Amino acid sequence: MTTATVTTPVTTPAATVTTPAVTPATVTVGTARVHYDVHASRHTSPEDTSAAPALLLVHGTGSGGAVINWGRTAPRFTSSRTVITPDLSGADRTVDDGGELTVEGLAAQVIGVVEDAGGAPVDLLGFSMGAPVAVAVAALRPDLVRRLVLVAGWAHTEGDEYLRNLFTLWERLGEHDPAGFGRSVTMTGFSRGFLNGVGREGVEALIPNMPPTPGTLRHVALDLGVDVRALLPRITAPALVVGCTRDATVPVENSRELAAAIGGSAYAEIDAGHVVFFEKEDEFVRTVTDFLDA
């Protein structure tokens, strides 16, 4: 799920932050030329070893990728750390062969970005589709992950009839009713209170924000096949799972199940819809920062 800029927020305005310097980079992983951005404020740089570990943010479903998910929120974390935002295959700024996507394949892209950006262990945050990808990175390359945060994620789709039917609906709407696709992802991506707060004009502005491009539909096909249950016991990094109590895309029970399956993990809930970092940005940033800085 992705976000758009809404001009009538219903939550407390985000804190003022210094616009970070953004350095683009690319790394080849398999057939993909993976784009990523490195965000550093005037007080941090990728070479500053005295700063906190870099924070790598893994985006969710949608060809808008990191810019749409993290463009507004990434600067909130740059006062004391570098932030890395990769675009995984299916996103517009990463070019590949257009083949079928897998969690392991996208995890390999995240690993390639970490290594290309310096190879030091990072704090890793995955949102929605990015959560199972982050699980795979933490399980397969524990040497690269200092702390792990999973936001509005899930462990498996098959056997969860809600998720399977929602993603199947998205596939069919994407093929036959693009406007209906946008309406569906908007309705499930944001809570009822948020949608009513921004009003009809705001909601109508959100609807075209995540068009069912070929890249987006590749992500949806991946969503249908997610199953990282076997990887969860292999996670050794301290982990925080964040569930969203009003999430109609990935219901909060999925986050609770993730937390229960990761030994010793911390768990937090935020009273928001799926796109929590947009609805409750201040609380989201505080929850993540408190865990990373503990």
Side-chain angles (χ1 to χ4, degrees), residues 30-52:
T31 65
R33 188 68 176 165
V34 180
H35 178 278
Y36 67 96
D37 287 324
V38 179
H39 310 248
S41 74
R42 296 175 182 176
H43 305 292
T44 64
S45 71
E47 295 77 23
D48 184 1
T49 58
S50 65

Side-chain angles (χ1 to χ4, degrees), residues 184-234:
S184 178
V185 298
T186 300
M187 286 176 61
T188 61
F190 300 94
S191 68
R192 177 174 177 265
F194 180 86
L195 294 175
N196 285 336
V198 300
R200 181 171 298 183
E201 183 177 352
V203 171
E204 293 299 318
L206 285 169
I207 288 169
N209 184 60
M210 186 169 138
T213 63
T216 294
L217 294 181
R218 290 172 74 197
H219 286 167
V220 175
L222 180 146
D223 293 339
L224 274 164
V226 164
D227 189 348
V228 294
R229 288 174 291 182
L231 296 176
L232 295 173
R234 297 172 59 179

Side-chain angles (χ1 to χ4, degrees), residues 85-128:
T85 55
D87 285 287
L88 305 180
S89 279
D92 295 332
R93 297 193 298 175
T94 285
V95 179
D96 67 1
D97 62 0
E100 179 181 358
L101 301 178
T102 66
V103 168
E104 292 79 9
L106 297 188
Q109 294 182 5
V110 173
I111 291 168
V113 167
V114 175
E115 292 178 333
D116 191 64
V122 299
D123 290 332
L124 180 64
L125 185 153
F127 163 67
S128 192

Side-chain angles (χ1 to χ4, degrees), residues 217-293:
L217 294 181
R218 290 172 74 197
H219 286 167
V220 175
L222 180 146
D223 293 339
L224 274 164
V226 164
D227 189 348
V228 294
R229 288 174 291 182
L231 296 176
L232 295 173
R234 297 172 59 179
I235 293 174
T236 56
L240 168 67
V241 179
V242 179
C244 305
T245 60
R246 301 182 187 273
D247 194 338
T249 299
V250 182
V252 68
E253 291 83 1
N254 291 275
S255 289
R256 295 169 185 165
E257 291 169 4
L258 272 177
I262 301 173
S265 64
Y267 181 67
E269 288 186 357
I270 297 176
D271 187 27
H274 188 63
V275 192
V276 55
F277 48 84
F278 198 71
E279 289 196 22
K280 297 286 183 72
E281 183 177 358
D282 288 345
E283 186 175 354
F284 171 78
V285 171
R286 184 171 62 253
T287 299
V288 172
T289 301
D290 286 351
F291 173 74
L292 297 182
D293 292 346

Side-chain angles (χ1 to χ4, degrees), residues 52-184:
L55 172 62
L56 190 147
L57 305 174
V58 187
H59 65 77
T61 299
S63 59
V67 171
I68 297 297
N69 269 189
W70 305 122
R72 165 172 157 156
T73 310
R76 297 289 304 274
F77 294 106
T78 57
S79 62
S80 61
R81 65 178 70 233
T82 297
V83 177
I84 303 170
T85 55
D87 285 287
L88 305 180
S89 279
D92 295 332
R93 297 193 298 175
T94 285
V95 179
D96 67 1
D97 62 0
E100 179 181 358
L101 301 178
T102 66
V103 168
E104 292 79 9
L106 297 188
Q109 294 182 5
V110 173
I111 291 168
V113 167
V114 175
E115 292 178 333
D116 191 64
V122 299
D123 290 332
L124 180 64
L125 185 153
F127 163 67
S128 192
M129 180 192 76
V133 173
V135 164
V137 174
L140 299 173
R141 288 296 304 271
D143 57 307
L144 295 180
V145 180
R146 188 190 78 108
R147 290 195 168 220
L148 175 68
V149 182
L150 306 175
V151 180
W154 76 103
H156 66 103
T157 305
E158 184 63 34
D160 186 320
E161 286 303 301
Y162 182 89
L163 289 179
R164 186 184 69 83
N165 276 280
L166 178 64
F167 297 146
T168 299
L169 175 64
W170 284 3
E171 278 195 324
R172 295 182 181 179
L173 288 174
E175 293 172 2
H176 304 294
D177 185 0
F181 178 93
R183 226 167 262 284
S184 178

